[in-house]
Amino acid sequence: MNEFSIICRILGSLYNRQPEDALLVPLFTLLREGKLQQHWPLEQDELLTRLQQNSDPALLTADYNALFVGPECKVSPYGSQWENGPQEADVRAFLSQRGMPLTDAPADHIGALLLASSWLEDQSEADEFQAQIQLFDEFLMPWVGAFLGKMEAHAGAAFYRTLAAISREALQAMRDELEDEQEDEQS
């Protein structure tokens, strides 16, 4: 698993699961102990420190639910609910064509898309970065800026405002890396 995959897996998990989910306990432990920074490949120490200072899962659950859960949520985590977002069926078809095992959960959820990006990266096929570029350009980047902006505006907890800032920078850095890989292959 490389740095790209790790970033997508961590961010995807934080969006995809409730803060008190048992699967997130190790991640929140790393956050609280300041150990995530040691493994984080991007220069985001200030943001990671802010995330660390606000990483009590018990205090985050209400904000997570208000932001992302249910029909009355403040910020829909589903791309299909955004003006420039993808249709869920298109995301599902793309991931199925790539051989990704899917559940019945909507494939256009921000967390699911980030986890799919990690999965694609870990497949290490010769054309992996082309699939990554397609995932980013068609299914993630057209709407994620609006999503993160609304998330920052509506988050009650500093954790989620900070997570939005980290996500914005990380997604842009990863997209830039894909661009560099594409240029290297073409030259």
Side-chain angles (χ1 to χ4, degrees), residues 5-17 95 100 109-122 132 135 140:
S5 178
I6 290 168
I7 292 169
C8 290
R9 186 156 303 173
I10 289 170
L11 294 177
S13 295
L14 289 171
Y15 286 108
N16 211 40
R17 298 188 174 277
L95 295 173
M100 183 175 173
H109 187 284
I110 181 70
L113 285 166
L114 289 166
L115 292 169
S117 184
S118 174
W119 184 88
L120 286 171
E121 183 69 18
D122 291 343
Q132 288 282 22
L135 180 94
L140 198 53

Side-chain angles (χ1 to χ4, degrees), residues 123-142:
Q123 296 313 297
S124 299
E125 292 180 19
D127 66 344
E128 76 181 41
F129 77 93
Q130 290 296 344
Q132 288 282 22
I133 287 171
Q134 187 176 356
L135 180 94
F136 269 66
D137 289 355
E138 291 182 29
F139 304 122
L140 198 53
M141 298 306 271

Side-chain angles (χ1 to χ4, degrees), residues 3-100:
E3 294 174 343
F4 190 110
S5 178
I6 290 168
I7 292 169
C8 290
R9 186 156 303 173
I10 289 170
L11 294 177
S13 295
L14 289 171
Y15 286 108
N16 211 40
R17 298 188 174 277
Q18 292 277 345
E20 293 185 281
D21 187 305
L23 291 174
L24 289 183
V25 169
L27 179 54
F28 273 105
T29 300
L30 281 175
L31 267 170
R32 276 193 311 278
E33 294 174 356
K35 293 180 180 175
L36 183 61
Q37 288 167 303
Q38 299 167 13
H39 306 287
W40 196 252
L42 301 173
E43 294 294 324
Q44 295 183 300
D45 289 348
E46 183 182 323
L47 289 170
L48 290 169
T49 298
R50 197 175 332 147
L51 206 63
Q52 175 188 357
Q53 294 166 345
N54 296 284
S55 61
D56 182 348
L59 301 176
L60 298 175
T61 299
D63 202 31
Y64 179 91
N65 288 330
L67 284 169
F68 307 126
V69 178
E72 301 299 318
C73 69
K74 295 177 183 173
V75 187
S76 176
Y78 301 101
S80 58
Q81 300 297 309
W82 292 85
E83 184 177 341
N84 296 320
Q87 293 304 304
E88 196 277 341
D90 295 339
V91 176
R92 185 171 290 280
F94 168 75
L95 295 173
S96 292
Q97 288 169 353
R98 301 296 306 164
M100 183 175 173

